[in-house]
Amino acid sequence: MQRCQKKRGQYPLIALVLFAFIVFSVFFNGSNIEETSPSEEHPFLVSKNISAPEFNPARELDKFSKCHNTVEYSGRGANWDAPMPESGGRREMPESCDFFSGEWVFDNTSHPLYSEFDCPYMSDQLACQKHGRPEKGYQHWRWQPHGCDLKRWNATEMWEKLRGKRLMFVGDSLNRNQWMSMVCMLQSVIPSNKRYMSPQQHLSIFRTEEYNASVEFLWAPLLVESNSDHPVDHRLSERILRPDSLLRHLSHWRNADILVFNSYLWWRQGPVKLLWSNEQNGACEEIDGLRGMELAMRAWADWVASNVDPLKKQVFFVTMSPTHQSKEEWEPGSEGNCYDEKLPITNRDYWGNGSDAATMQMVGRVLGDLGTKVSVLNITKLSEYRKDGHPTIYRKFWEALSPEKLANPASYSDCIHWCLPGVPDVWNELLFQFL
């Protein structure tokens, strides 16, 4: 009798343990379901509530991503199983004039198109007057095509073109430079209480309800997914990309009405590592920057070919923005770079080493295969002449500068980006021409 009562006393304890086991199992399985179920906004993201394993091929690339080992490039291609693009060559602009061939004309009447200090969204990286540039000559140059004129810029007309639409710039900091220019060119005709700017993150949005329109910038320096996709923290010693994955960026740009892409300088910084989406062991393939860029461009072009209807969506590709890192190129026998340059180059045949011929040829082949699905903003040649248009030392630098650097301004001059107002305003005037 006593033994029977003892066993009865154990039953609640056993039931309690069993119940706890069932609850734990349900919770554990539910957690796994949450981890592998796609979210509505980002179908490629995994839940951050569960600790990721050491290597998970489905996990997003970020600054902590590492290659377990590196092998030579296998020759594999990146594609989206797209149909063959229509034939007919590169999309031709409807106008007969070549707007990309011309010269810079000094015009202090119609240019600049806005004031640096009247644009409340101006970036400290591009605000050259704010940071002490002593002269304003770089703001007064107007692009004059040979044999024709550019359409005169009109902010209200541009907003009408954008009514009910999303204009999105996708690419690196040069494309952000152009986006910031467009925002400054447009914002003045919208009352301050009817325009909104989101915090500058992966996707930055300038929006007006008056036209139900937005002008956006998406940080995607390599077009495809990479470990450098953080808008700020992307200075990494090892650059890793998924050449067969546009998913991270595509989720943002797929519904935009007008898309302006660029990609170039980030491929000029040495070899890159390829980590394919179906790689199970974290092994990367190493490839030079030019071939890596072609893989990314081909994946992007496949998406354009299979998803873009030119009657519903306009796609532009901006050619490379030149740098002016060596003064010896335009003034043989000289040292230095774009620092203290105040005038454009007048030699029509000038080409600097900042514009890579092999890259231009590759981009031309890729864009040519897309036919009428993409329009090209060929800003390279006209920008080559503007050695005077860069911020040099007249910008905010986030890192501390040593006394040695401060004593030699050319050593830390920014000869890559462009002061605003300035050269990117002309890129947007060309975009306005073709919309």
Side-chain angles (χ1 to χ4, degrees), residues 105-140:
V105 176
F106 189 81
D107 182 350
N108 58 5
T109 302
S110 66
H111 284 65
L113 299 173
Y114 57 91
S115 166
E116 170 189 320
F117 297 101
D118 290 339
C119 182
Y121 313 107
M122 179 65 70
S123 166
D124 271 337
Q125 190 181 29
L126 314 170
C128 300
Q129 291 292 306
K130 176 182 177 181
H131 289 91
R133 183 158 179 169
E135 38 75 40
K136 295 183 179 180
Y138 66 93
Q139 298 184 358
H140 297 298

Side-chain angles (χ1 to χ4, degrees), residues 127-357:
C128 300
Q129 291 292 306
K130 176 182 177 181
H131 289 91
R133 183 158 179 169
E135 38 75 40
K136 295 183 179 180
Y138 66 93
Q139 298 184 358
H140 297 298
W141 293 94
R142 171 177 56 82
W143 179 246
Q144 178 61 57
H146 295 311
C148 57
D149 294 317
L150 270 177
K151 187 174 183 178
R152 187 175 179 85
W153 170 258
N154 185 299
T156 302
E157 184 179 346
M158 183 64 175
W159 277 120
E160 288 295 344
K161 290 176 182 288
L162 298 179
R163 184 179 290 277
K165 296 180 179 180
R166 295 174 63 196
L167 165 61
M168 184 182 292
F169 294 84
V170 181
D172 59 23
S173 59
L174 273 309
N175 224 13
R176 181 164 53 202
N177 208 160
Q178 186 175 358
W179 166 75
M180 180 57 64
S181 162
M182 181 63 84
V183 169
C184 289
M185 291 168 74
L186 285 171
Q187 59 85 29
S188 63
V189 297
I190 305 297
S192 59
N193 63 340
K194 294 185 178 180
R195 61 186 189 223
Y196 312 93
M197 175 70 83
S198 72
Q200 293 191 29
Q201 299 176 347
H202 184 63
L203 178 65
S204 302
I205 303 172
F206 176 71
R207 177 171 178 78
T208 172
E209 293 181 358
E210 188 170 342
Y211 290 90
N212 186 29
S214 62
V215 181
E216 309 175 25
F217 170 72
L218 177 66
W219 173 258
L222 301 173
L223 294 180
V224 295
E225 180 185 345
S226 77
N227 65 341
S228 299
D229 288 338
H230 192 281
V232 177
D233 193 4
H234 47 240
R235 294 186 179 183
L236 307 172
S237 59
E238 182 178 64
R239 190 151 295 143
I240 305 172
L241 59 132
R242 294 198 196 279
D244 56 345
S245 178
L246 297 170
L247 290 175
R248 174 185 287 168
H249 307 308
L250 174 61
S251 65
H252 295 291
W253 84 48
R254 62 158 50 101
N255 293 322
D257 301 283
I258 304 167
L259 286 161
V260 182
F261 292 92
N262 91 316
S263 190
Y264 172 53
L265 280 179
W266 280 60
W267 302 103
R268 301 268 289 168
Q269 301 176 21
V272 295
K273 304 291 181 67
L274 312 178
L275 182 58
W276 300 91
S277 297
N278 62 355
E279 169 56 47
Q280 297 297 317
N281 300 311
C284 295
E285 297 177 348
E286 186 169 275
I287 191 172
D288 65 84
L290 176 58
R291 289 192 297 165
M293 181 178 178
E294 183 166 11
L295 282 173
M297 287 287 296
R298 291 290 178 188
W300 168 82
D302 284 344
W303 178 84
V304 172
S306 57
N307 290 276
V308 171
D309 179 352
L311 298 178
K312 298 178 180 179
K313 188 187 298 284
Q314 288 182 276
V315 176
F316 294 85
F317 192 88
V318 182
T319 61
M320 64 183 69
S321 173
T323 61
H324 293 90
Q325 305 281 20
S326 176
K327 187 172 183 177
E328 205 276 335
E329 293 179 5
W330 60 85
E331 193 175 312
S334 300
E335 296 182 353
N337 50 27
C338 70
Y339 173 69
D340 207 28
E341 292 291 334
K342 297 181 177 63
L343 295 172
I345 294 169
T346 56
N347 177 9
R348 291 186 181 182
D349 298 323
Y350 174 79
W351 276 105
N353 292 330
S355 300
D356 181 63

